[in-house]
Amino acid sequence: MRWNRRELAQLKQLWSEGQSAAQIAGHLECSRNAVCGRLTRLGLTRGHKPPTAKPKIRSVPKRGPTLMAARCDRVRKKLPQKALETRPQEMSKRQLYAILAEAVRNTVRAIGAAISRV
DNA sequence: CCCTGATTCGC
DNA sequence: GCGAATCAGG
């Protein structure tokens, strides 16, 4: 459907008057979905379902068995090749302890400095 | 089940 | 960009 200037004006007008999407769709002789889609694209909303109101995990719409595979491929393409090949280097227990010890020393020093300032 | 608006995604 | 399909809520 082509949305000319006039139809857009009607859309905005009726929507601002509080008409439902279905009613507007009737006036414009198109589907309710078309109206909703256009409104979304225009950034118009009545906050009927605010994003923060009821956060729920949206169930994955099933639109074909290859959907998952396609998405995985899309992600894979964005990753640099090295990220797929190289493995994160393992750290020895000794190295981990060294890091922890340094963190502790830093913390102790920071606290000591703060106390001496009081 | 009916309605509502909101969102996704193939085209 | 469009809208059918589908979502979630009342």
Side-chain angles (χ1 to χ4, degrees), chain A residues 25-102:
Chain A
H27 282 286
L28 269 56
E29 292 179 338
C30 64
S31 72
R32 189 179 66 89
N33 284 322
V35 172
C36 285
R38 196 73 192 85
L39 286 169
T40 299
R41 251 164 264 127
L42 287 172
L44 299 177
T45 175
R46 286 177 188 163
H48 175 264
K49 199 165 49 173
T52 56
K54 301 183 178 179
K56 282 200 172 182
I57 305 298
R58 203 181 186 283
S59 58
V60 180
K62 293 165 187 173
R63 256 185 265 275
T66 61
L67 179 61
M68 272 310 210
R71 288 193 172 159
C72 285
D73 283 345
R74 200 184 303 169
V75 170
R76 192 187 308 280
K77 280 176 187 171
K78 289 187 178 178
L79 285 173
Q81 194 59 27
K82 283 182 183 175
L84 295 172
E85 292 171 353
T86 61
R87 188 121 315 265
Q89 192 180 357
E90 297 280 344
M91 270 190 283
S92 69
K93 204 171 265 189
R94 181 163 200 87
Q95 285 173 305
L96 291 172
Y97 280 140
I99 292 172
L100 176 59
E102 186 184 0

Side-chain angles (χ1 to χ4, degrees), chain A residues 1-17 19 24-25 27-30 34-44:
Chain A
M1 171 171 182
R2 57 175 278 265
W3 287 88
N4 59 34
R5 189 179 297 269
R6 161 132 192 84
E7 288 162 333
L8 271 173
Q10 277 190 57
L11 174 68
K12 287 194 221 172
Q13 175 61 31
L14 296 175
W15 183 252
S16 65
E17 286 177 1
Q19 299 263 5
I24 298 173
H27 282 286
L28 269 56
E29 292 179 338
C30 64
V35 172
C36 285
R38 196 73 192 85
L39 286 169
T40 299
R41 251 164 264 127
L42 287 172
L44 299 177

